[in-house]
Amino acid sequence: HKTKLWYIKYNLKSQISNLKSITVATTRPETMLGDTAVAVNPKDKRYKNLIGKKIILPLMNREIPIIADHLVDAEFGTGAVKITPAHDAVDNKIGKTHKLEVINVIGEDGKMTQEAGNYAGLNILEARNKIIEDLKKQNLLEKEEDYEHSLAVCDRCGAPIEPLISK
């Protein structure tokens, strides 16, 4: 699936040396509204001094931790990944390990839930476009680049399958 990889700056709660933010790369910026951490690989020396620090989740102004987990691929994007336990299987596993909150921002109807704040009620694509627009306005979108990845789709209608936590 051809898409974009968006690089989003998450501001540190407190500046560390000259560092004011950490950048994560994602193909699904709409799920960032449900982020409960940013994770790095514990062996990645670039982020050693950030583990345990707090950052501010863009657009939601919620404080979340920077954690270390061996499941993080240090080679993907910047090596720092957003953790959204409600909308990704690996993130859910990391969330359970680190006892992170699960915030469901996409409903079964394909629309953003009340947990999505100002984006509630928008369909996923509308929310994505509005989030990208808002990140640009706040100078939090570092860059975007063309990206190709595998995407689960419905075998009947071809629509993307959105991972959701359910029983």
Side-chain angles (χ1 to χ4, degrees):
H1 178 74
K2 291 182 181 188
T3 187
K4 297 281 185 190
L5 190 59
W6 289 275
Y7 290 78
I8 304 167
K9 293 188 274 189
Y10 287 53
N11 289 325
L12 292 163
K13 182 179 177 187
S14 302
Q15 185 172 325
I16 300 169
S17 299
N18 291 331
L19 193 62
K20 295 179 182 176
S21 65
I22 186 170
T23 300
V24 303
T26 184
T27 59
R28 298 176 68 210
E30 63 280 3
T31 63
M32 71 179 285
L33 306 173
D35 287 358
T36 53
V38 164
V40 298
N41 190 294
K43 294 180 181 177
D44 192 334
K45 293 177 182 165
R46 297 174 294 175
Y47 299 113
K48 271 275 196 244
N49 64 334
L50 296 179
I51 298 167
K53 303 298 185 202
K54 300 286 185 177
I55 54 178
I56 307 301
L57 178 60
L59 308 177
M60 299 302 280
N61 295 318
R62 186 171 63 244
E63 195 175 296
I64 59 175
I66 299 173
I67 61 173
D69 196 283
H70 69 280
L71 292 177
V72 174
D73 178 0
E75 302 300 314
F76 175 76
T78 64
V81 296
K82 58 190 224 49
I83 303 298
T84 315
H87 299 291
D88 181 88
V90 174
D91 290 6
N92 187 265
K93 187 173 184 177
I94 292 171
K96 285 180 180 176
T97 300
H98 296 273
K99 297 176 176 56
L100 298 175
E101 184 179 3
V102 176
I103 301 173
N104 194 347
V105 295
I106 300 173
E108 290 181 13
D109 61 357
K111 293 187 178 182
M112 305 306 286
T113 68
Q114 292 303 317
E115 296 288 342
N118 295 333
Y119 307 93
L122 298 176
N123 72 38
I124 294 166
L125 188 55
E126 290 169 336
R128 177 181 293 176
N129 292 335
K130 179 78 171 120
I131 287 165
I132 295 300
E133 180 184 313
D134 290 348
L135 289 168
K136 285 179 181 177
K137 285 180 188 173
Q138 293 183 28
N139 199 29
L140 295 173
L141 186 66
E142 190 171 288
K143 66 179 179 175
E144 60 183 58
E145 58 189 27
D146 291 333
Y147 188 71
E148 204 168 308
H149 69 114
S150 57
L151 178 70
V153 295
C154 175
D155 60 351
R156 288 180 281 172
C157 68
I161 296 172
E162 291 291 337
L164 299 173
I165 297 298
S166 65
K167 292 184 179 181

